[in-house]
Amino acid sequence: MVQRQPRIPRQEDEFEDRVVRIDRTRKTVAGGRVFSSRAVVVVGDRRGRVGLGIGKARNAPDAVAKARERAKRAMIRVPLDGYTIPHQVVGKCGAAEVLLKPASRGTGIVAGGAVRQIIEVSGIRDVLTKSLGEGTVFNRARATFDALRRLENPAEVAASRGKSVEELLGRRVVDPYYTADAEEAAATAAVPEAEEEEEDTDGDS
């Protein structure tokens, strides 16, 4: 049976958001030119959760606000092997392709630009990346998020094949953020039970 990630309530200030890029566009209409802004924002908690959003509006602040809200709604959980990714993966968007490869501990984030910003707020600490195709910053950002979304959880893959992770990979795989959240969830669930037991004891006396 696959163990699912416990849902832990997050406070708004636990999320970090970064504006990846803002572009100003213009469109010629019958009455003249209409200017608008397009923003790409990434949101993450640096604990394995990350989201990417794109917003359009007449002015930059509104575009950023829209992109931030969409990023929060699009958040995903990134499966990890320690503080790196569990396997190599390629993400695509238009002509942009981004390759992500697992890295040994202490390697750091070998990436730049939009790719680095997304990886940093996701909580991944060690990873190798490479841009394989052409494309704009917008497409590279979306390709990076697509790569993270394509990552498979080793526990789920092993369970689908009727094996344990140790049997499949020959070693254990530990997601430090998953472990910490599971312990936090267990501790939170234990508090009401302890309070109920205390109330029952007071009632009996």
Side-chain angles (χ1 to χ4, degrees):
M1 183 177 179
V2 179
Q3 187 177 14
R4 297 291 182 179
Q5 173 65 30
R7 293 184 176 272
I8 305 296
R10 298 288 180 193
Q11 300 297 323
E12 287 295 319
D13 58 4
E14 289 189 59
F15 294 110
E16 177 181 343
D17 61 80
R18 296 188 185 182
V19 178
V20 177
R21 186 177 177 86
I22 299 177
D23 278 348
R24 189 163 174 78
T25 61
R26 64 182 180 183
K27 180 172 64 174
T28 302
V29 296
R33 294 178 178 176
V34 176
F35 291 90
S36 62
S37 296
R38 181 175 63 170
V40 176
V41 174
V42 59
V43 175
D45 63 356
R46 288 183 175 267
R47 292 174 57 85
R49 298 180 67 197
V50 64
L52 183 74
I54 298 176
K56 297 180 182 180
R58 287 292 180 88
N59 55 70
D62 288 344
V64 170
K66 286 183 179 180
R68 184 182 295 114
E69 289 306 312
R70 288 174 180 170
K72 289 179 180 178
R73 292 198 297 267
M75 292 192 80
I76 60 172
R77 182 82 192 192
V78 179
L80 295 175
D81 180 359
Y83 291 102
T84 190
I85 57 177
H87 59 84
Q88 179 174 308
V89 66
V90 175
K92 300 179 181 180
C93 180
E97 292 186 21
V98 174
L99 168 69
L100 304 182
K101 295 178 66 175
S104 57
R105 189 168 185 176
T107 301
I109 300 173
V110 182
V115 179
R116 184 180 187 87
Q117 294 191 66
I118 295 170
I119 295 295
E120 283 183 343
V121 298
S122 73
I124 298 171
R125 299 182 186 178
D126 303 298
V127 69
L128 303 174
T129 73
K130 186 175 183 179
S131 181
L132 302 177
E134 302 293 332
T136 63
V137 173
F138 283 90
N139 282 355
R140 283 197 294 274
R142 295 176 72 174
T144 303
F145 188 67
D146 180 60
L148 295 177
R149 192 163 44 193
R150 290 174 181 269
L151 288 171
E152 296 184 276
N153 189 318
E156 294 180 359
V157 174
S160 68
R161 300 180 184 179
K163 298 181 179 181
S164 66
V165 175
E166 289 83 355
E167 291 173 332
L168 184 67
L169 302 178
R171 61 182 177 84
R172 291 185 62 204
V173 173
V174 178
D175 183 336
Y177 304 125
Y178 175 94
T179 302
D181 284 351
E183 292 175 351
E184 182 180 343
T188 302
V191 172
E193 293 179 1
E195 291 177 349
E196 288 178 6
E197 290 179 0
E198 185 176 345
E199 290 177 357
D200 291 341
T201 302
D202 293 340
D204 294 339
S205 59

